[in-house]
Amino acid sequence: MNQIRTIFLNMSWLMISQIVASICGFIWIILMARYLGVSQYGIYAFATSFTGILLITMDLGISTHIVRHIATDYESAPKYLGNAIPLKCFFALGSFILSLIILILMKANELTIIITLLFTIEMIFKSYINLINGSFQAFEEGKYQGIGNTILNVILLIFILITIFCNFGIYGIAISYIFANIIALIYVYYVFEKHISKPKFELDWEFCKKITLYSLPFAATGLLTTIYYSIDAVMLTQIIGSYPTGIYNSTYKLISFLTLFYSLYIAVIFPVMSKFFKNDKKMLLISFEKSIKYLMLVIIPIAIATMIYSKDIILLIYGTEYLPAASVLSILIWTVCLLFISGAGNTLLNASHKEITVTKIYFVAAIFNVALNLFMIPHFSYDGAAITTVLSDVLIVVIQSYVIYRIGHRPNKKLYFDLIKIIFGSFVLGISLYLLNLNMWVALPVGIIIYLVCIYLLKVFDSDDEYVIKQILGKN
């Protein structure tokens, strides 16, 4: 259980940085959406979605492979990083050229091409930050990653505020992202070299070939995952234009703030679960079960409340120009619940060296997503894209659950009873808010009280949960 305490100590550092990131991101997304307008915000959405997919070609899964390997062998860090850093330079150059070629073939307009290429440059620096952050995770040094994330987001917010104040337009927004990532990269590399390990720079081609081959399953999974989470914005732009993309992405950005907590949790738990797979299979399954339980405990009531107050949320954040996004928010919020389940499952499978299986699952989901989008977007626009994303996530959870059961990782039946209790408590919350018809700000504290009372009466927390909490607080 000491390992669990370490998990949550690392999470505390990352949680603080994630709170800062969420606040900063929330501010700049609102300001950008209002400043750029729906159509130019749609171009921004296309550029970030397109380069998000392209990010995989800049890394090819190397960062994830290194996290898993270094987590079980700290001494290998200098050699792995010393080869990975220069190797990624070649990947970055190839990605930039590939980006330009694809944009020309897509017959994108000049503004879209320039903005997308600027975000491609930003993604190159982000790729290196991800590599160093992955190494922090492997060494379980979450505080350095947390500080780096805070620096990145605060500086980016400052640059965006300057851009809007000086009216530098969408070009200034893109350049702000580039400079903020450069500064953050300088910090994380300096700290890693000073406090953790110093990379031994070389280009051992045989070794580079080896780690690339081992990393390809992670790359394939990452590519397929990114495709079915980002391809909708690209397809919306190509099929019906930038305006629907702006509407859809305004909601998607709100959803992404909730997924930050998921990303934070997975970043901390993955290296730990890798160790459990090697040393303690029982703790591996326990960590998986607790991940599902705690993540669902938080996100299901949030999803219920968001669905009820979707119009109020959109009007408050974006204004009447973005009001059509309310229907998208009501649908898309459920992807977060499904993502939290599939994310915990992915972590279990990756830690268990089943990354090829994960790749196959996302291959099926990506094909399903693209095929369904081709039908849904022309008929239902941004609502169709949202429905497609939810159905894709349902497919992943179903297949993933079957695979986890087949390989012998069978969760305790008590987990299912806990999930039923959480769903019932959230249902009571939803019915109460609907019948009371309260103002959104009044509903927030009232809803929290109702939900906590339900959780207490349903006895969702057991002696194991109490033990974990005491371990975290250092009272055992």
Side-chain angles (χ1 to χ4, degrees):
M1 286 293 182
N2 286 333
Q3 190 69 62
I4 294 177
R5 188 179 180 188
T6 301
I7 292 172
F8 283 93
L9 285 174
N10 277 316
M11 279 191 67
S12 64
W13 282 98
L14 292 175
M15 179 65 76
I16 293 171
S17 74
Q18 216 60 73
I19 291 171
V20 174
S22 297
I23 293 172
C24 292
F26 190 71
I27 294 171
W28 79 57
I29 286 299
I30 294 172
L31 293 176
M32 276 200 302
R34 290 174 177 264
Y35 172 65
L36 294 175
V38 177
S39 293
Q40 281 212 343
Y41 188 70
I43 294 175
Y44 160 83
F46 170 83
T48 53
S49 298
F50 180 87
T51 55
I53 296 173
L54 205 69
L55 178 63
I56 305 302
T57 64
M58 302 176 190
D59 184 78
L60 291 183
I62 288 175
S63 296
T64 306
H65 171 64
I66 285 178
V67 173
R68 190 179 72 180
H69 188 87
I70 295 177
T72 57
D73 182 11
Y74 289 163
E75 300 299 321
S76 64
K79 183 173 181 63
Y80 267 83
L81 290 173
N83 280 275
I85 290 173
L87 177 62
K88 283 165 68 71
C89 289
F90 295 99
F91 293 161
L93 178 61
S95 298
F96 187 86
I97 295 172
L98 178 64
S99 177
L100 179 59
I101 292 172
I102 294 174
L103 289 168
I104 292 173
L105 292 176
M106 290 174 66
K107 298 180 180 179
N109 59 52
E110 182 180 348
L111 177 61
T112 301
I113 290 176
I114 294 173
I115 296 302
T116 304
L117 290 179
L118 287 173
F119 274 103
T120 302
I121 295 171
E122 180 252 347
M123 281 294 177
I124 292 173
F125 293 110
K126 187 181 290 296
S127 173
Y128 277 104
I129 292 174
N130 291 342
L131 176 64
I132 304 298
N133 282 343
S135 302
F136 284 139
Q137 295 163 23
F139 281 92
E140 297 180 37
E141 292 288 353
K143 69 176 182 178
Y144 297 122
Q145 181 181 350
I147 295 170
N149 287 341
T150 301
I151 291 172
L152 170 60
N153 287 282
V154 170
I155 290 176
L156 180 54
L157 175 59
I158 292 171
F159 285 167
I160 289 175
L161 288 173
I162 293 172
T163 295
I164 294 174
F165 181 78
C166 297
N167 197 26
F168 291 146
I170 193 170
Y171 291 103
I173 297 291
I175 293 171
S176 295
Y177 272 82
I178 294 173
F179 282 121
N181 276 271
I182 291 174
I183 294 170
L185 176 59
I186 292 171
Y187 167 79
V188 295
Y189 180 79
Y190 170 78
V191 170
F192 185 84
E193 188 178 73
K194 183 177 180 180
H195 297 287
I196 310 297
S197 179
K198 188 173 183 179
K200 183 182 177 183
F201 288 108
E202 59 181 354
L203 259 178
D204 183 337
W205 290 109
E206 284 301 314
F207 184 75
C208 288
K209 180 181 178 182
K210 176 184 173 182
I211 62 175
T212 301
L213 289 174
Y214 278 125
S215 301
L216 286 178
F218 294 116
T221 302
L223 177 62
L224 294 170
T225 304
T226 308
I227 283 176
Y228 92 82
Y229 277 117
S230 299
I231 197 65
D232 37 19
V234 176
M235 293 180 72
L236 275 166
T237 301
Q238 287 298 109
I239 296 173
I240 53 179
S242 296
Y243 180 85
T245 307
I247 292 294
Y248 180 81
N249 198 68
S250 63
T251 298
Y252 208 92
K253 286 299 181 181
L254 291 181
I255 297 298
S256 69
F257 293 129
L258 292 176
T259 62
L260 288 175
F261 178 77
Y262 148 80
S263 302
L264 154 68
Y265 190 85
I266 297 305
V268 174
I269 201 72
F270 177 55
V272 176
M273 289 180 76
S274 296
K275 291 181 181 179
F276 285 156
F277 176 75
K278 185 177 180 181
N279 304 317
D280 192 338
K281 297 294 196 302
K282 183 179 179 180
M283 281 302 300
L284 174 65
L285 189 56
I286 290 174
S287 61
F288 169 69
E289 291 174 356
K290 294 300 181 184
S291 295
I292 294 289
K293 179 177 179 178
Y294 297 153
L295 291 171
M296 290 302 99
L297 191 66
V298 173
I299 194 58
I300 292 179
I302 291 177
I304 293 286
T306 300
M307 187 174 66
I308 293 172
Y309 289 97
S310 60
K311 286 186 178 180
D312 301 84
I313 293 170
I314 294 296
L315 284 172
L316 174 68
I317 295 172
Y318 293 117
T320 54
E321 186 180 7
Y322 287 85
L323 189 57
S327 60
V328 181
L329 180 59
S330 297
I331 300 167
L332 214 52
I333 186 63
W334 295 103
T335 66
V336 183
C337 298
L338 296 164
L339 176 62
F340 278 23
I341 297 174
S342 63
N346 285 342
T347 306
L348 174 65
L349 292 173
N350 283 331
S352 303
H353 295 243
K354 295 291 183 180
E355 57 270 15
I356 294 178
T357 301
V358 176
T359 302
K360 292 177 181 178
I361 293 172
Y362 278 90
F363 176 73
V364 173
I367 292 176
F368 174 81
N369 182 280
V370 172
L372 191 57
N373 263 325
L374 287 172
F375 170 78
M376 296 294 283
I377 290 176
H379 289 85
F380 304 103
S381 188
Y382 35 74
D383 287 335
I387 293 170
T388 298
T389 300
V390 173
L391 292 177
S392 298
D393 286 340
V394 170
L395 178 64
I396 287 175
V397 170
V398 170
I399 299 174
Q400 194 182 71
S401 300
Y402 173 76
V403 171
I404 290 173
Y405 184 82
R406 285 295 301 271
I407 65 176
H409 294 307
R410 299 174 183 179
N412 192 301
K413 289 182 180 179
K414 190 177 183 310
L415 173 63
Y416 300 110
F417 288 114
D418 286 337
L419 291 178
I420 291 172
K421 291 177 183 179
I422 292 169
I423 292 170
F424 181 77
S426 301
F427 178 75
V428 172
L429 168 67
I431 293 295
S432 301
L433 292 178
Y434 178 78
L435 293 177
L436 291 171
N437 194 26
L438 301 171
N439 174 275
M440 183 175 66
W441 296 109
V442 177
L444 181 61
V446 171
I448 291 174
I449 293 171
I450 292 172
Y451 182 65
L452 290 178
V453 170
C454 290
I455 293 303
Y456 175 78
L457 293 176
L458 293 168
K459 297 180 180 179
V460 173
F461 289 101
D462 55 23
S463 57
D464 289 339
D465 297 309
E466 292 174 4
Y467 183 79
V468 169
I469 293 170
K470 287 180 179 179
Q471 280 287 330
I472 295 167
L473 299 176
K475 292 185 177 181
N476 276 343

